Amino acid sequence: MRRPIRKVFVTRSHEFPEDRVSQNKWIETTHKEWQSYWHDLFDADTSLIASGEFSRPESLPDDVRCDFRLIFGLSRATPKTQRRCFELFPNGAEMHRRFSTFLSSTSHSFSEAEALSQLTRVTALIEAIGPNENVDFTKTKVVRGDNEEGRIELSNTDCITVLLEKDFLSPHPVDKLPSIAAQLFLTEPLYAAAGHFYQLTNWVTAAMSESLIDDLHKELYELWRGGWEVLLGREIVLFAYRSV
């Protein structure tokens, strides 16, 4: 017998915890509620049922990052189920629109000149947001990621978005806690849908962020769809190319 589907909403902002330890516990509890809700939706999804690959486990994984039914089922579910999954989150309608756009669109390869032009907008946005360390964006090097030499060089890089990371120990802004919880919850399903790249995750969940962050992740997503990634090396920005 199918379980009745109960929609789970987050609590009001004045009820959110203020210290980091309590916030982490709140996120964990909220993830459990969202996890159960998604599984209930998947139980009734005609596409997942027909595939025969997404049966509900006897017990749900403690860590949603290891819940493979959720991680791989989202992109295979019907559009109706996908929409209901995103309804749980802040600005969920826009996040669902972006995810649907990704699923229905095709990649368009950018030329190097097009990509470098877009890189100018990326670096301007990062500087406007305020990076957590000084980087000389004039030191740009194009590295191909489809040969051995390039792969070796790229192995010692980070995504350019590390320049935006904040203190991992300080409390989250209370009003941002639902968005942070949603971003963490959606990371693995969107990462899997994108073939193990984070640009889709960042663009979709940036719908919950301020405009400069949103604009930045839109640019990085479009570059990625065009075959390019902006990566940070020890002293230079490496602009990697891959085939699309």
Side-chain angles (χ1 to χ4, degrees):
M1 179 181 296
R2 288 178 184 164
R3 299 169 174 82
I5 297 176
R6 180 177 65 89
K7 195 165 187 175
V8 182
F9 293 95
V10 297
T11 54
R12 293 182 293 274
S13 61
H14 66 267
E15 298 173 342
F16 298 147
E18 297 184 0
D19 66 278
R20 186 61 179 264
V21 173
S22 297
Q23 288 179 341
N24 289 342
K25 291 180 179 178
W26 182 90
I27 290 172
E28 183 179 355
T29 299
T30 302
H31 280 185
K32 290 288 187 183
E33 294 175 345
W34 290 343
Q35 178 188 30
S36 179
Y37 179 71
W38 273 33
H39 275 285
D40 290 345
L41 291 177
F42 286 8
D43 287 344
D45 185 273
T46 54
S47 178
L48 299 182
I49 293 170
S51 74
E53 301 176 19
F54 295 96
S55 299
R56 186 179 186 128
E58 291 185 7
S59 59
L60 302 185
D62 290 333
D63 189 343
V64 295
R65 294 172 297 180
C66 300
D67 191 331
F68 298 115
R69 190 189 193 213
L70 296 193
I71 292 170
F72 297 104
L74 178 64
S75 60
R76 298 278 297 277
T78 62
K80 178 182 177 181
T81 296
Q82 292 168 355
R83 175 180 57 77
R84 294 186 69 185
C85 285
F86 280 100
E87 282 178 350
L88 292 175
F89 312 122
N91 209 11
E94 173 60 16
M95 289 200 290
H96 174 246
R97 186 196 69 79
R98 295 183 186 193
F99 184 58
S100 299
T101 297
F102 164 74
L103 292 177
S104 61
S105 63
T106 56
S107 299
H108 166 67
S109 182
F110 285 5
S111 68
E112 183 173 323
E114 289 174 316
L116 288 171
S117 176
Q118 195 149 343
L119 177 62
T120 301
R121 296 195 290 274
V122 167
T123 56
L125 283 165
I126 291 175
E127 290 175 332
I129 294 166
N132 54 30
E133 64 178 90
N134 294 323
V135 176
D136 185 354
F137 288 109
T138 64
K139 296 181 178 179
T140 301
K141 181 178 182 181
V142 175
V143 177
R144 294 186 63 92
D146 54 3
N147 60 57
E148 186 63 24
E149 181 181 358
R151 285 192 290 271
I152 292 173
E153 189 161 7
L154 295 176
S155 66
N156 295 312
T157 64
D158 286 310
C159 179
I160 196 71
T161 54
V162 300
L163 294 175
L164 307 180
E165 291 179 353
K166 306 300 182 183
D167 183 0
F168 289 106
L169 299 178
S170 299
H172 300 297
V174 172
D175 61 330
K176 300 294 185 184
L177 200 56
S179 298
I180 292 167
Q183 182 180 21
L184 293 171
F185 187 84
L186 288 167
T187 292
E188 291 301 323
L190 296 177
Y191 176 72
H196 306 297
F197 289 91
Y198 283 112
Q199 284 81 357
L200 175 64
T201 298
N202 293 338
W203 176 55
V204 170
T205 60
M208 300 181 290
S209 301
E210 60 190 70
S211 59
L212 286 177
I213 296 289
D214 193 16
D215 290 344
L216 171 64
H217 286 300
K218 180 176 182 290
E219 298 286 347
L220 292 173
Y221 169 79
E222 290 178 350
L223 277 168
W224 170 70
R225 291 291 274 173
W228 298 85
E229 294 180 80
V230 186
L231 303 171
L232 185 64
R234 289 185 176 180
E235 298 179 351
I236 57 174
V237 175
L238 295 169
F239 206 49
Y241 173 83
R242 62 181 174 83
S243 299
V244 296

